[in-house]
Amino acid sequence: MLVACTLVALFAANSSHAASYLAFWHTDITLGFGSFVFHHSLHHVINDGLMAIFFFVIGLEVKRELAHGSLSSWKLASLPIAAAIGGMVVPAAIYLTLQYGQPGMRGWGIPMATDIAFVIGCLALLGPRVPHSLRVLLLSLAIVDDIGAILVIAIGYTSSLDYGYLLLAVLCIVTVQVLSRIGVRSFPPYVIVGAVAWLMLHESGIHATLIGVILGLQTPARAVLLPERFREYLNRKKEDFEDKRWALHRHRIGAVHEVQRLTRELVSPLEYLEITLHPWTAFVIMPLFALANAGVVIELSNLGDSVAIAVVLGLVIGKPLGILLFSWIVVRLGWAKLPDSIGWPILVGGSCLAGIGFTMALFIDGLAFGADGLDTAKTGVLVGSAASGLLGMGLLIWTLPRVQVSE
């Protein structure tokens, strides 16, 4: 879906209908309530509104890995954390070295993040030859990467603050925590408070998508109802569902709702929301983002621009270099070790794949250079991501064993 939407955006931006296509994303959307008026373009609503849901899912993924997954202990987390830090620091350093003192310097965050959707897609194409541990490592690396990108957005791309609105946003966040503590399990109160928090953060000057991450991290990661308790409940209630007794039941709808509610409580809110929202982010929000942001007018001169070159070098060279260097350091110090099924040659290929920085790179481009971003930076993102994908795939095809690794 992402590849298809990117190709559509590129085709439309370079066709005779380019003006109409680009103008469509600047369609005005206005919502008013009393004296308050929310007036922004469709492009802004996608990038600041719908992408908040995307960031919410990222927050859920981070919370899951911190609570139960590959970031739940230092022994498990040390390698992906080190690799992710190297994969952020080195690309940013290469970009800043080439752009220091120039107008393009604001784009230093563009080559820092990994697009896990494309990376996992590339690994899927290689089939069972790919060790499971490599998938886990790259997923964990990308999640830490996302945390870094969130900090970059919050610190590096916030120009001014309205402390009144910021205080109101904090109060909303505290309210969510209080609702969770007192045991409110219904989703609508959280949706309402979260929407208000998004609006307050938006008006404060901090990028509103960050509220998605914060709310994701606040989502409980444990289920309320234990399976054995639910089994006991079913044993007590099974007579109610016998044919004759059920036909005479006066409150059947209430009984069905009760079973539905208790069934939902068998899984944590985090797991339920992640599974529920993932299809929407993967097949609606991210493709819409690609359609609205990947429309770049292709000009050969853009490839020679210093910003495009800095982005390409950051993604293609800086990303794998940083991952490998910092991974080698923590392994050498004895803080971590490579998984048994992953050698350094395989890690080189995986590190190159991590240079695919599509979604978050285009997102940061818009923050750094205005709502529409900079065409030369977008060109660098597209070229650098494509080159990283092809290079990583080629190296993995060469280094992976011909049969599935036994783990």
Side-chain angles (χ1 to χ4, degrees), residues 57-381:
V57 174
I58 287 179
L60 295 175
E61 292 174 349
V62 172
K63 179 68 175 284
R64 167 171 49 80
E65 294 300 320
L66 288 171
H68 309 299
S70 56
L71 302 178
S72 58
S73 69
W74 173 248
K75 182 179 179 180
L76 294 171
S78 53
L79 182 60
I81 288 176
I85 292 173
M88 291 184 286
V89 171
V90 176
I94 290 176
Y95 185 98
L96 284 172
T97 301
L98 297 174
Q99 288 294 307
Y100 188 78
Q102 300 181 43
M105 181 178 169
R106 275 188 58 79
W108 57 272
I110 294 173
M112 293 178 66
T114 295
D115 192 309
I116 192 59
F118 275 117
V119 172
I120 295 300
C122 290
L123 292 178
L125 293 176
L126 296 174
R129 294 173 59 193
V130 178
H132 176 68
S133 53
L134 180 61
R135 299 177 194 271
V136 172
L137 176 60
L138 290 178
L139 177 61
S140 306
L141 181 156
I143 287 173
V144 178
D145 227 327
D146 287 334
I147 297 173
I150 290 159
L151 294 174
V152 166
I153 292 169
I155 299 171
Y157 295 103
T158 298
S159 55
S160 61
L161 282 176
D162 185 313
Y163 290 99
Y165 281 114
L166 182 59
L167 178 60
L168 291 174
V170 172
L171 288 176
C172 290
I173 293 168
V174 172
T175 301
V176 168
Q177 193 65 29
V178 171
L179 291 174
S180 178
R181 290 286 184 180
I182 63 176
V184 175
R185 304 292 292 175
S186 178
F187 288 132
Y190 294 101
V191 173
I192 293 170
V193 176
V196 174
W198 177 90
L199 186 59
M200 294 302 101
L201 203 65
H202 181 276
E203 298 301 312
S204 74
I206 297 177
H207 205 274
T209 51
L210 294 178
I211 198 65
V213 179
I214 295 170
L215 295 177
L217 291 172
Q218 287 184 289
T219 305
R222 295 187 181 279
V224 170
L225 185 62
L226 297 175
E228 53 267 29
R229 298 299 182 193
F230 185 66
R231 187 171 61 249
E232 292 172 4
Y233 166 81
L234 291 179
N235 287 332
R236 291 197 307 270
K237 292 287 184 177
K238 63 182 180 181
E239 292 83 4
D240 291 345
F241 295 95
E242 293 177 356
D243 291 343
K244 293 182 179 180
R245 191 164 182 174
W246 181 250
L248 297 174
H249 203 300
R250 297 179 58 187
H251 303 287
R252 286 184 291 183
I253 298 300
V256 169
H257 286 169
E258 183 180 71
V259 173
Q260 288 177 330
R261 179 177 60 82
L262 291 176
T263 303
R264 233 294 286 125
E265 297 295 348
L266 283 170
V267 297
S268 68
L270 186 151
E271 183 180 355
Y272 179 82
L273 288 170
E274 186 178 2
I275 296 300
T276 302
L277 293 176
H278 185 268
W280 289 97
T281 58
F283 298 110
V284 178
I285 294 173
M286 291 176 69
L288 270 177
F289 176 83
L291 286 171
N293 291 272
V296 182
V297 178
I298 299 175
E299 296 179 1
L300 292 178
S301 58
N302 286 347
L303 292 173
D305 184 84
S306 61
V307 171
I309 293 172
V311 172
V312 171
L313 292 178
L315 291 173
V316 179
I317 296 178
K319 201 67 171 165
L321 180 61
I323 291 172
L324 291 168
L325 177 61
F326 278 58
S327 297
W328 181 84
I329 290 173
V330 294
V331 170
R332 186 73 174 176
L333 291 173
W335 295 351
K337 67 174 185 176
L338 292 182
D340 294 336
S341 55
I342 300 178
W344 289 106
I346 292 177
L347 186 58
V348 171
S351 300
C352 289
L353 274 187
I356 303 175
F358 183 80
T359 306
M360 198 67 77
L362 291 178
F363 190 81
I364 294 177
D365 168 54
L367 297 179
F369 300 116
D372 294 328
L374 193 67
D375 275 356
T376 52
K378 289 183 179 180
T379 301
V381 170

